[in-house]
């Protein structure tokens, strides 16, 4: 079932992966951008790969935010050429003293991956490193929690949030950041008339520092929430 983050009637509809906390920043950027061209937006969450299939099939109007050049695989999607957010990818594990320094160092471990998390899929497939796939972040973290797998490479903010939600206190970051990935908004090709308009608005927001300001505001809000829970 889809989860509506925002619902305001018959608007443009963009899909995104379920439980992706990083994408809340993307959502705030996209809502503000489309308001400037007098369009309203709904955002629906699905398992990662299902989201991509729906946006590529035109069942929704596009993808909220994904890594660059996914349109080489999903041919019906048009990349808006402005970075609107980024993801920091880390190795997470419930096991101690794993030697994680880079992608190649993951080869000796049993890995679990979230299906449709393309920056992980691409980096592992390029190195022929096998990975057992699941549909959601919660599934991956729970498999780490019980020791079924050694490592999952996950987006930092989302993973930490789900670890707290699932009370998986034994799962934590291993090693340094493996990757920082820029995210781009995508439109289904049926919406090609919108492309130049939304590109111009997003570029203006980026140049003015507004996109970074939105991310900073969101990070501060999350830090404040975490502090209030801990206290």
């Amino acid at each position: 079932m889809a989860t509506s983050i925002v619902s305001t009637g018959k608007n443009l509809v963009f899909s995104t992966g379920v439980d992706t906390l990083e994408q809340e920043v993307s959502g705030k950027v996209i809502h503000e951008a489309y308001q400037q061209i007098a369009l309203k937006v709904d955002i629906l969450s699905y398992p990662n790969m299902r989201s991509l299939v729906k946006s590529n099939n035109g069942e929704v109007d596009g993808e909220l935010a994904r890594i660059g050049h996914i349109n080489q695989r999903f041919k019906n999607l048009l990349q808006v050429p402005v970075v609107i957010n980024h993801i920091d990818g880390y190795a997470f594990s419930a096991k101690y003293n794993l030697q994680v320094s880079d992608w190649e160092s993951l080869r000796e471990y049993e890995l679990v991956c979230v299906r449709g998390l393309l920056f992980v899929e691409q980096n592992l497939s390029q190195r022929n490193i096998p990975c057992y796939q699941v549909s959601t972040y919660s599934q991956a973290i729970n498999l780490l929690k019980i020791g079924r797998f050694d490592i999952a490479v996950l987006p930092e903010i989302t993973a930490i949030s789900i670890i707290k939600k699932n009370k998986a206190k034994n799962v934590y970051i291993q090693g340094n950041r493996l990757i920082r990935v820029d995210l781009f908004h995508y439109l289904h090709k049926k919406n090609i008339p919108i492309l130049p308009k939304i590109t111009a608005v997003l570029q203006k927001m980026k140049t003015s520092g507004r996109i970074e300001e939105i991310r900073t505001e969101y990070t501060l809000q999350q830090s404040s929430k975490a502090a209030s829970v801990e206290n």
Side-chain angles (χ1 to χ4, degrees):
M1 296 292 289
T3 301
S4 179
I5 298 174
V6 175
S7 183
T8 52
K10 190 175 181 181
N11 309 319
L12 287 173
V13 178
F14 298 116
S15 61
T16 190
V18 69
D19 287 335
T20 52
L21 205 62
E22 277 91 349
Q23 295 290 36
E24 291 189 12
V25 175
S26 305
K28 291 177 183 296
V29 171
I30 289 304
H31 277 290
E32 187 169 314
Y34 278 91
Q35 284 174 359
Q36 294 184 43
I37 57 173
L39 291 173
K40 294 182 179 181
V41 168
D42 289 351
I43 300 171
L44 300 180
S45 296
Y46 301 91
N48 272 294
M49 185 53 69
R50 192 185 306 173
S51 173
L52 286 164
V53 170
K54 282 183 171 290
S55 57
N56 189 61
N57 288 347
E59 296 175 49
V60 293
D61 291 293
E63 192 75 17
L64 175 62
R66 291 279 180 164
I67 65 174
H69 308 299
I70 65 166
N71 48 328
Q72 293 176 0
R73 177 176 173 186
F74 299 94
K75 305 292 187 180
N76 295 325
L77 296 178
L78 306 171
Q79 180 177 317
V80 180
V82 181
V83 176
I84 67 165
N85 197 6
H86 67 260
I87 287 176
D88 289 331
Y90 284 86
F92 285 80
S93 180
K95 300 183 179 181
Y96 292 95
N97 299 320
L98 301 186
Q99 300 301 310
V100 179
S101 56
D102 54 23
W103 291 98
E104 191 61 35
S105 68
L106 301 176
R107 185 179 299 279
E108 62 182 287
Y109 299 113
E110 293 290 326
L111 305 181
V112 58
C113 292
V114 178
R115 188 177 293 109
L117 195 55
L118 298 183
F119 77 89
V120 177
E121 290 182 6
Q122 290 176 2
N123 276 280
L124 294 180
S125 65
Q126 287 168 8
R127 296 168 175 82
N128 294 315
I129 299 175
C131 194
Y132 179 81
Q133 292 194 335
V134 295
S135 296
T136 69
Y137 294 103
S138 289
Q139 289 172 340
I141 287 169
N142 285 333
L143 287 171
L144 295 178
K145 178 181 176 181
I146 64 175
R148 174 64 179 81
F149 291 91
D150 298 321
I151 286 173
V153 179
L154 302 168
E156 179 188 19
I157 297 173
T158 293
I160 290 173
S161 173
I162 296 174
I163 285 168
K164 291 178 180 178
K165 179 180 177 181
N166 292 5
K167 298 180 180 179
K169 294 180 180 179
N170 62 325
V171 178
Y172 59 96
I173 288 175
Q174 292 274 355
N176 298 324
R177 184 179 71 202
L178 290 172
I179 192 170
R180 170 165 285 182
V181 185
D182 289 334
L183 299 179
F184 300 84
H185 181 47
Y186 287 84
L187 289 168
H188 186 269
K189 63 183 181 181
K190 66 185 177 183
N191 293 313
I192 193 169
I194 300 173
L195 183 60
K197 298 177 183 179
I198 200 62
T199 299
V201 169
L202 286 170
Q203 186 59 61
K204 182 179 178 181
M205 290 175 66
K206 183 175 179 62
T207 302
S208 70
R210 178 56 184 152
I211 290 178
E212 186 58 35
E213 186 178 62
I214 291 170
R215 184 177 176 88
T216 300
E217 289 172 353
Y218 177 81
T219 302
L220 289 173
Q221 289 173 359
Q222 293 303 309
S223 297
S224 177
K225 287 180 182 178
S228 65
V229 169
E230 291 173 1
N231 293 330

